[in-house]
């Protein structure tokens, strides 16, 4: 009897099943992350160790908070937990993810074999398990990493069912431990994927029709007698009712919790995701019913598989006269016949058919659109559990045929061919999942009426920077589906990448025209997909490159916000624009609003810090940088810019922390010369000359033309009495930047005082005056050169001209007097040396990095159809990392002022000494 003790599985059977799975899926290990894997794995911050574990239970499968309307409401925290385990082991290397999926599929196949032995003989059970292991319909669930939700849920789904089969004790008594374990396993299965809860229905059917052996006529007779008062409910039936009530109550409790988790909100899908869901009656009903035989056909004949069945893949059935209705009728007729047979007649065969039908039908209910719309038309991975019932049905039918001697040999031949061809198809299908390009191109071979497939091939090419080819596929998507907003956005973005801004704007405008018209006071959150609102963002980002259209861009951002007040990305982009428009207070308001929507976004705190810098509030800026680093200790831009802010504050106590952050930054960005340069500047501030020299050399090694690093290294050498080592550095600096004034002055000084190369020094100062005839420092030093050449009259004229440029400089007046005295004197024996006005090492003269962007905020959508709105980088940064210009530091500290004063006193003493020499004292 089926309700008897289940047969155990032996080692040979397990080895066979695992070996077949390995043979079918070994090549899946060489596939990458494709399609939905990108959102669930690559873009999902919940995988990172820095994200608290509790966040996994607050976000959906894709890492979006369940409270947000754009969430898909797919709550699968235990599945995400296994992704996180993969990340800990191998970060984002796809092989370990695919390996674990294959292992889970092997486990499911082995547990399924154990389930099969409840309803089939030993040989048929192995056949059912083999057919399940090799079925090509499973490639999406096994080779696609996101399919792990199906795999994990199925493990606990089958375990819960097996546990329940042990709940019947001797004399039909209730054994509560297996029931309690069943409820627990159902909860776990549901936390892996929502369909796990449907195992409760299978347990109920098993209890009534298999464990208790009732048939539908018998139940009807018993119910009729009880209602007529001619009999009482048998004790065994009461026991059954108690178990069913417990199961139903558990189901209700799980449903209530699940509704609370999604906060009683259903996800928002567009008509492109599931066209039938928004169609009128009877189109909606006819199409949904037709999808059932379509899914059944995929199980029966998995020859043409497709990763995406949305949009126009399956045309709507808009009339009762549509020929496809015959397929629907045939399907329900066949299903009804099997159902009547299994419910009406006693016997093992009818019970096997009934359980097979339950396994096919009940787990499919969440994807059937029966209770709520789903975001797809057909999805092969949701057939993972229903295929179990199909495999049992096929194995049972084969068992019946093979028992007949006439058909025995033919049945074995046919079965062998089916298993072999399915295995080969699975092996071949795995290669389709190697990359996004191969996956979507294989899909286009099956279906050319799905605009999403054309879009996705375009995205794959776009990721390879092949914009010309990508444009062709995006344009084809607009031809296949002219009202596809996303397709027009993709065309616009590609035109922008090709620097064809006029065509890009036209495409964005066309996409915008397809959006619902704005009605004042009307909220559109339930009508418009969040991704489609990015058309406003992309269009605004495009036109704001034109300084005369900034207000127009701002209007677009505000328009997006009016349609969705919770549209975080609009606030972020608007904040950036407002900074560009020199409206930091309004930018601050925009970022604060975005933070109300997402307080755990490190990038938003970073952007707010930049606003405070614009508002000249460095302390507030530093607080916000620190907040960003609390959320993400490896936030590179916050590490870098907060360190520079600390350095510029002039507070000695902040320097160790600044150094620590810069060290963290270069650990994250080892190829960025700016990190090493600023560590060198910190070391110079701390008078650690050897350390500063080492950091500057590292910066120059990474970026040979790093102007600030070259100059400051030369300056460091000149300050530490290593002027001759500074000279080749200055030669290199001037090779890249021949007009570097400070470099020319420093070189001239070294040539004059160390090399005694008067002509060389003269060339340096003359070049400065060619570029800037009014450069006082260069002109004064050229006057000194004339004096050294003993051309006193020329030196006099030069100093007169210099004094005219800087009439209040006392040292020029003194030197002019000395020269005039020398001209009038006739007893000069040895010429004294004037002090060259050279570059000192004070903060006011050292090169610094100007206040410009480190990186730009992404203003276009990524190669998927949407902008990634989980956070943008900086709207502006304190220090520039790609262009290195010399400017004065924005302010001087008290220490800097003291240093300057010391140097001024020393210079005056030196001038006095020179004057005594010149005057012959």
């Amino acid at each position: 009897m089926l309700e008897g003790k289940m047969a155990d599985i032996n080692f040979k059977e397990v080895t066979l099943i695992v070996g077949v799975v390995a043979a079918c899926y070994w090549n899946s290990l060489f596939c990458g992350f494709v399609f939905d894997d990108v959102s669930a794995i690559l873009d999902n911050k919940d995988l990172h160790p820095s994200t608290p574990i509790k966040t996994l239970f607050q976000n959906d499968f894709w890492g979006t908070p369940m409270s947000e309307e754009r969430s898909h409401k797919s709550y699968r925290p235990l599945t995400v937990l296994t992704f996180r385990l993969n990340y800990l082991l191998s970060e984002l290397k796809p092989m370990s993810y695919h390996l674990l999926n294959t292992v889970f599929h092997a486990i499911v196949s082995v547990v399924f074999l154990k389930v099969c032995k409840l309803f089939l003989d030993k040989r048929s059970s192995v056949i059912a398990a083999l057919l399940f292991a090799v079925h090509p319909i499973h490639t999406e669930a096994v080779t696609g990493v996101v399919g792990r939700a199906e795999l994990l849920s199925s493990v606990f789904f089958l375990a819960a069912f097996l546990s329940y089969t042990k709940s019947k004790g001797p004399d039909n008594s209730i054994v509560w431990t297996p029931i309690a374990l069943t409820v627990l396993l159902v909860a776990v299965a549901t936390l892996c994927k929502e369909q796990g809860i449907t195992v409760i229905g299978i347990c109920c059917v098993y209890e009534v029709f298999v464990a208790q052996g009732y048939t539908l006529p018998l139940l009807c007779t018993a119910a009729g007698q009880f209602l007529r008062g001619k009999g009482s409910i048998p004790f065994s039936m009461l026991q059954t009712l108690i178990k069913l009530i417990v199961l139903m109550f558990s189901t209700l409790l799980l449903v209530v919790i699940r509704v609370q988790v999604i906060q009683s909100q259903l996800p928002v899908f567009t008509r492109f995701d599931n066209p039938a869901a928004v169609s009128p009656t009877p189109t909606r009903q006819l199409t949904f019913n037709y999808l059932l035989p379509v899914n059944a056909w995929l199980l029966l004949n998995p020859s043409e598989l497709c990763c995406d069945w949305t949009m126009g893949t399956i045309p709507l059935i808009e009339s009762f006269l549509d020929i496809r209705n015959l397929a629907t009728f045939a399907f329900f007729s066949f299903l009804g016949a099997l159902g009547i047979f299994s419910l009406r007649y006693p016997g093992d065969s009818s019970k096997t058919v009934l359980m097979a039908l339950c396994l096919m039908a009940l787990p499919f209910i969440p994807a059937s659109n029966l209770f709520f719309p789903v975001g797809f038309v057909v999805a092969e991975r949701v057939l993972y559990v229903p295929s179990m019932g199909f495999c049992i049905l096929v194995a049972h039918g084969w068992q019946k045929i093979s028992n007949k001697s006439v058909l025995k040999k033919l049945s074995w031949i046919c079965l062998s061919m089916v298993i072999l061809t399915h295995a080969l198809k699975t092996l071949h299908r795995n290669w389709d999942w190697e990359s996004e390009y191969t996956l979507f191109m294989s899909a286009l071979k099956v279906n050319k009426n799905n605009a999403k497939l054309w879009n996705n091939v375009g995205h794959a090419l776009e990721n390879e920077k092949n914009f010309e080819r990508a444009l062709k596929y995006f344009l084809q998507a607009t031809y296949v589906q002219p009202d596809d907003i996303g397709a027009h956005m993709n065309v616009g973005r590609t035109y922008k990448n090709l620097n064809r801004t006029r065509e890009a704007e036209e495409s964005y405008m066309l996409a915008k025209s397809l959006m619902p018209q704005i009605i004042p006071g009307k909220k559109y959150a339930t009508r418009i997909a969040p991704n489609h609102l990015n058309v406003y963002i992309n269009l605004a980002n495009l036109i704001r490159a034109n300084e005369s259209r900034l207000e127009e861009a701002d209007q677009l951002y505000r328009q997006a916000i009016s349609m969705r007040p919770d549209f975080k990305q609009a606030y972020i982009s608007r904040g950036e624009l407002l900074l560009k428009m020199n409206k930091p207070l309004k930018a601050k308001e925009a970022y604060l609003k975005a933070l109300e929507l997402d307080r755990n976004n490190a990038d938003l705190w970073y952007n707010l810090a930049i606003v405070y810098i614009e508002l000249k509030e460095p302390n507030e800026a530093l607080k916000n940088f620190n907040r960003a680093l609390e959320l993400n200790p490896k936030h590179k831009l916050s590490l870098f810019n907060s360190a520079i802010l600390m350095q510029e504050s002039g507070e000695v106590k902040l320097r160790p922390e600044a150094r620590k952050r810069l060290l963290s930054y270069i650990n994250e960005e080892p190829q960025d010369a700016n990190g090493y340069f600023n560590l060198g500047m910190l070391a110079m501030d701390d008078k650690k000359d050897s350390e500063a020299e080492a950091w500057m050399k590292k910066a120059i090694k990474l970026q040979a033309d790093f102007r600030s690093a070259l100059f400051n290294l030369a300056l460091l050498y000149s300050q530490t009495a290593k002027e001759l080592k500074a000279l080749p550095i200055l030669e290199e600096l001037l090779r890249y930047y021949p007009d570097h004034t400070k470099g020319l002055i420093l070189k001239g000084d070294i040539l004059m005082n160390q090399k005694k190369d008067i002509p060389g020094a003269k060339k340096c100062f003359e070049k400065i005056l060619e570029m800037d005839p009014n450069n006082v420092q260069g002109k004064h030093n050229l006057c000194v050169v004339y004096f050294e050449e003993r051309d006193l009259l020329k030196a006099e004229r030069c100093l007169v001209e210099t004094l005219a440029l800087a009439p209040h400089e006392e040292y020029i007046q003194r030197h002019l007097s000395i020269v005039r005295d020398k001209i009038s004197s006739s007893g000069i024996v040895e010429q004294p040396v004037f002090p060259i006005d050279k570059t000192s090492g004070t903060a006011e003269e050292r090169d610094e990095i100007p206040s410009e962007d480190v990186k730009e905020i992404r203003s276009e959508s990524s190669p998927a159809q949407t902008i990634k709105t989980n956070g943008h980088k900086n709207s502006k940064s304190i220090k520039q990392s790609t262009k290195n210009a010399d400017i004065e530091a924005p302010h001087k500290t008290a220490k800097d002022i003291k240093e300057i004063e010391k140097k001024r006193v020393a210079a005056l003493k030196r001038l006095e000494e020179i004057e005594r020499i010149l005057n012959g004292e």
Side-chain angles (χ1 to χ4, degrees):
M1 296 294 290
L2 294 179
E3 66 270 21
K5 184 178 179 180
M6 71 182 73
D8 292 325
I9 55 177
N10 57 51
F11 180 74
K12 287 183 179 179
E13 293 169 339
V14 172
T15 304
L16 175 64
I17 298 297
V18 172
V20 167
V21 169
C24 288
Y25 287 99
W26 65 268
N27 59 338
S28 70
L29 302 183
F30 304 101
C31 296
F33 294 119
V34 297
F35 204 16
D36 290 338
D37 297 347
V38 175
S39 298
I41 308 296
L42 298 182
D43 298 337
N44 193 346
K45 292 182 180 179
D46 288 349
L47 273 63
H48 301 171
S50 58
T51 302
I53 293 290
K54 67 176 184 179
T55 305
L56 272 65
F57 293 87
Q58 297 169 348
N59 294 348
D60 67 12
F61 187 54
W62 316 98
T64 305
M66 293 292 289
S67 58
E68 291 191 14
E69 188 272 330
R70 66 188 177 93
S71 168
H72 280 215
K73 312 302 180 185
S74 46
Y75 188 66
R76 305 162 192 173
L78 296 187
T79 303
V80 179
L81 199 59
T82 65
F83 292 153
R84 187 166 173 138
L85 176 63
N86 275 120
Y87 188 91
L88 286 174
L89 295 175
S90 64
E91 293 194 349
L92 294 175
K93 296 176 182 176
M95 182 174 284
S96 73
Y97 294 80
H98 289 295
L99 177 61
L100 195 54
N101 269 27
T102 303
V103 169
F104 281 134
H105 180 54
I107 292 171
V108 173
S109 300
V110 170
V111 179
F112 177 59
L113 172 62
K114 198 172 182 71
V115 171
C116 289
K117 290 193 173 185
L118 289 170
F119 313 114
L120 300 168
D121 60 28
K122 181 178 179 180
R123 186 177 61 184
S124 301
S125 297
V126 173
I127 288 169
L130 281 174
L131 187 57
F132 177 81
V134 304
H135 204 296
I137 201 72
H138 298 155
T139 51
E140 183 170 337
V142 182
T143 310
V145 177
V146 295
R148 186 177 299 175
E150 260 74 28
L151 307 176
L152 270 179
S153 180
S154 298
V155 171
F156 296 107
F157 180 101
L158 295 176
F161 177 68
L162 288 173
S163 175
Y164 186 80
T165 59
K166 300 175 182 177
S167 65
K168 181 181 177 182
D171 302 323
N172 210 28
S173 60
I174 302 174
V175 183
W176 288 106
T177 302
I179 294 177
L181 182 59
T182 296
V183 173
L184 176 63
L185 290 170
V186 170
V188 174
T190 306
L191 289 175
C192 294
K193 192 177 181 186
E194 298 78 3
Q195 67 182 25
I197 199 171
T198 60
V199 72
I200 295 286
I202 294 171
C203 291
C204 291
V205 173
Y206 174 85
E207 175 66 31
V208 174
F209 296 102
V210 178
Q212 301 301 330
Y214 296 124
T215 61
L216 190 60
L218 183 60
L219 287 175
C220 291
T221 301
Q225 289 179 348
F226 176 74
L227 291 173
R228 289 194 298 269
K230 294 183 178 181
S232 60
I233 301 176
F235 178 74
S236 61
M237 192 172 288
L238 283 174
Q239 294 280 75
T240 301
L241 283 174
I242 291 172
K243 292 170 77 173
L244 294 180
I245 289 170
V246 170
L247 289 177
M248 293 300 181
F249 179 78
S250 302
T251 304
L252 182 62
L253 183 61
L254 287 173
V255 169
V256 169
I257 294 173
R258 184 70 176 82
V259 170
Q260 289 296 316
V261 166
I262 66 173
Q263 301 185 0
S264 303
Q265 291 180 338
L266 289 175
V268 174
F269 298 115
T270 68
R271 58 191 174 87
F272 303 113
D273 299 317
N274 190 349
V278 295
S279 299
T281 302
T283 300
R284 181 170 65 254
Q285 290 77 13
L286 292 175
T287 304
F288 282 156
N289 283 314
Y290 173 68
L291 294 180
L292 299 177
V294 169
N295 281 279
W297 180 249
L298 287 174
L299 290 173
L300 190 63
N301 178 30
S303 59
E304 292 189 336
L305 300 177
C306 182
C307 62
D308 194 303
W309 295 80
T310 56
M311 303 188 88
T313 304
I314 299 176
L316 298 172
I317 298 179
E318 299 178 314
S319 168
F320 288 101
L321 300 178
D322 194 308
I323 192 74
R324 290 174 293 171
N325 289 319
L326 293 177
T328 306
F329 177 77
F331 172 78
F332 279 106
S333 297
F334 179 70
L335 204 65
L338 287 177
I340 291 171
F341 166 76
S342 61
L343 291 171
R344 185 170 184 178
Y345 302 103
D348 291 349
S349 181
S350 60
K351 293 175 183 177
T352 300
V353 171
L354 178 62
M355 293 309 299
L357 290 175
C358 286
L359 275 169
M360 287 178 66
L362 294 180
F364 187 74
I365 286 176
S368 66
N369 290 281
L370 187 60
F371 297 110
F372 47 82
V374 294
F376 53 83
V377 179
V378 173
E380 292 164 12
R381 62 176 176 263
V382 303
L383 294 175
Y384 189 77
V385 176
S387 69
M388 295 177 185
F390 173 79
C391 292
I392 290 175
L393 209 57
V394 171
H396 182 60
W398 176 86
Q399 177 188 347
K400 294 292 185 183
I401 295 172
S402 63
N403 286 337
K404 298 178 180 180
S405 58
V406 180
L407 300 174
K408 186 172 184 178
K409 185 176 290 187
L410 181 61
S411 67
W412 273 105
I413 292 172
C414 292
L415 178 66
S416 301
M417 287 182 64
V418 167
I419 292 177
L420 179 62
T421 54
H422 276 38
L424 291 174
K425 172 66 176 178
T426 296
L427 193 66
H428 181 266
R429 174 65 173 158
N430 288 334
W431 289 122
D432 290 340
W433 292 79
E434 183 178 11
S435 68
E436 293 211 319
Y437 180 77
T438 56
L439 179 63
F440 297 125
M441 285 302 291
S442 70
L444 281 177
K445 293 175 184 176
V446 176
N447 170 36
K448 290 181 170 56
N449 294 322
N450 185 341
K452 191 174 179 181
L453 294 176
W454 294 98
N455 278 319
N456 285 333
V457 175
H459 291 317
L461 292 168
E462 187 179 38
N463 289 338
E464 298 172 1
K465 307 299 181 185
N466 193 341
F467 299 122
E468 291 287 355
R469 284 190 64 200
L471 181 61
K472 293 178 182 178
Y473 283 91
F474 290 141
L475 287 171
Q476 183 61 33
T478 64
Y479 300 147
V480 171
Q481 189 87 39
D483 58 350
D484 181 6
I485 297 171
H488 291 289
M489 289 168 62
N490 292 335
V491 170
R493 186 182 63 254
T494 310
Y495 275 134
K496 182 177 183 294
N497 289 331
L498 292 169
N499 295 319
R500 296 165 63 177
T501 54
R502 183 178 59 81
E503 292 96 330
E505 183 173 349
E506 288 173 358
S507 296
Y508 285 142
M509 290 299 292
L510 182 55
K512 181 173 172 285
S513 69
L514 295 171
M515 298 285 286
Q517 296 301 308
I518 295 179
I519 301 173
K522 180 74 173 179
K523 186 179 179 181
Y524 291 86
T526 57
R527 292 182 54 197
I528 299 176
N531 297 341
H532 286 170
L533 277 174
N534 286 320
V535 67
Y536 294 98
I537 305 300
N538 289 357
L539 181 56
N541 292 344
L542 178 70
I543 66 174
R544 76 181 195 189
N546 185 339
E547 294 289 337
S548 65
R549 302 181 70 182
L550 297 182
E551 289 292 344
E552 187 180 346
D554 188 36
Q555 176 62 32
L556 286 167
Y557 291 136
R558 285 185 280 126
Q559 194 172 348
I561 291 169
S562 70
M563 297 178 82
R564 282 186 64 92
D566 63 345
F567 191 20
K568 179 180 65 181
Q569 181 54 44
Y571 293 107
I572 294 172
S573 297
R574 184 166 186 250
E576 179 198 358
L577 177 67
L578 290 168
L579 271 181
K580 186 176 181 179
M581 297 170 70
N582 198 26
K583 298 179 179 179
L585 287 174
K586 288 189 175 181
K588 175 183 170 183
E589 291 176 9
Y591 285 130
L592 287 173
K593 184 63 179 179
L595 281 168
E596 288 178 14
L597 300 170
D598 183 6
R599 298 195 65 80
N600 295 320
N601 189 324
D603 295 322
L604 281 175
W605 291 102
Y606 172 82
N607 283 356
L608 187 59
I610 299 302
V611 172
Y612 279 116
I613 288 172
E614 292 293 315
L615 291 170
K616 312 298 183 187
E617 298 182 37
N619 292 333
E620 287 299 317
L622 191 57
K623 288 179 184 178
N624 284 279
F625 281 137
N626 292 339
R627 177 63 175 147
L629 290 170
E630 286 174 14
L631 293 168
N632 180 6
K634 294 183 178 181
H635 194 278
K636 291 180 285 192
L637 293 172
S638 293
L639 286 169
F640 182 82
N641 286 295
S642 62
I644 303 306
L645 195 62
M646 291 175 178
Q647 184 181 2
E648 289 187 341
S649 72
E651 294 187 34
V652 177
K653 64 182 180 180
L654 292 178
R655 286 182 188 166
E657 179 62 23
R659 185 176 187 277
K660 179 181 175 183
R661 294 188 182 186
L662 284 172
L663 288 171
S664 298
Y665 176 76
I666 63 172
N667 186 53
E668 294 297 315
E669 288 285 346
Q671 298 303 311
D672 185 2
N674 293 282
Y676 301 98
F677 168 73
N678 283 284
L679 280 166
M681 297 300 289
L682 265 178
M684 287 179 72
D685 288 339
D686 289 333
K687 308 301 180 186
K688 297 177 180 178
D689 298 332
S690 298
E691 183 181 328
E693 179 184 358
W695 289 124
M696 292 294 183
K697 284 182 175 179
K698 284 186 178 180
I700 294 167
K701 185 177 179 181
L702 287 171
Q703 187 179 334
D705 63 343
F706 197 153
R707 185 167 73 172
S708 296
L710 287 166
F711 177 75
N712 281 287
L713 179 58
L715 184 62
L716 177 65
Y717 284 144
S718 72
Q719 290 175 341
T720 53
K722 298 177 183 177
E723 287 90 347
L724 296 182
K725 290 182 73 174
L727 206 53
I729 304 297
L730 288 168
E731 294 286 359
E732 192 72 7
L733 170 67
L734 294 170
R735 184 168 70 86
Y736 289 113
Y737 308 100
D739 57 348
H740 195 288
T741 303
K742 292 182 180 181
L744 288 166
I745 288 174
L746 187 55
K747 182 183 176 183
D749 171 59
I750 295 172
L751 290 175
M752 173 83 75
N753 293 322
Q754 303 300 321
K755 300 284 286 184
K756 305 303 180 182
D757 182 359
I758 305 301
K762 185 177 182 180
K763 288 180 182 178
C764 292
F765 301 138
E766 284 177 342
K767 179 153 187 171
I768 293 171
L769 294 177
E770 285 176 14
M771 296 182 295
D772 180 12
N774 297 323
N775 187 292
V776 175
Q777 195 175 9
K779 195 164 185 68
H780 173 266
N781 288 356
L782 183 60
C783 299
V784 175
V785 169
Y786 293 149
F787 188 88
E788 291 289 334
E789 291 177 337
R790 294 183 173 84
D791 192 342
L792 299 180
L793 294 175
K794 199 168 186 179
E796 180 191 21
R797 286 195 299 272
C798 178
L799 285 169
V800 169
E801 292 171 3
T802 308
L803 188 62
L805 293 174
H808 302 295
E809 289 291 349
E810 186 181 352
Y811 74 94
I812 299 175
Q813 294 175 359
R814 280 211 202 103
H815 290 177
L816 180 58
S817 297
I818 291 170
V819 170
R820 284 174 174 169
D821 288 344
K822 282 298 172 184
I823 291 172
S824 62
S825 172
S826 59
I828 300 175
V829 178
E830 184 178 355
Q831 298 295 338
V833 179
F834 276 159
I836 296 293
D837 186 9
K838 68 178 185 178
T839 305
S840 71
T842 63
E844 64 180 335
E845 293 173 326
R846 285 195 325 201
D847 283 15
E848 300 285 350
I849 301 177
S851 303
E852 292 185 20
D853 290 39
V854 174
K855 295 178 184 175
E856 289 185 12
I857 287 185
R858 282 181 63 193
S859 57
E860 282 294 318
S861 59
S862 63
Q865 290 190 15
T866 67
I867 292 180
K868 299 296 181 184
T869 58
N870 285 339
H872 282 256
K873 298 300 178 194
N874 57 315
S875 53
K876 190 172 183 183
S877 25
I878 308 169
K879 296 287 185 180
Q880 177 189 9
S881 68
T882 56
K883 298 178 184 176
N884 304 294
D886 306 304
I887 65 166
E888 294 185 353
H891 61 272
K892 302 181 185 65
T893 64
K895 185 175 180 180
D896 291 331
I897 293 170
K898 288 179 182 178
E899 288 290 329
I900 295 168
E901 187 58 33
K902 283 181 183 178
K903 291 178 182 291
R904 184 181 294 277
V905 171
L908 288 172
K909 286 181 178 178
R910 189 178 176 193
L911 285 172
E912 289 172 1
E913 181 66 26
I914 291 168
E915 288 171 12
R916 282 197 298 271
I917 293 171
L918 290 174
N919 293 322
E921 294 179 8

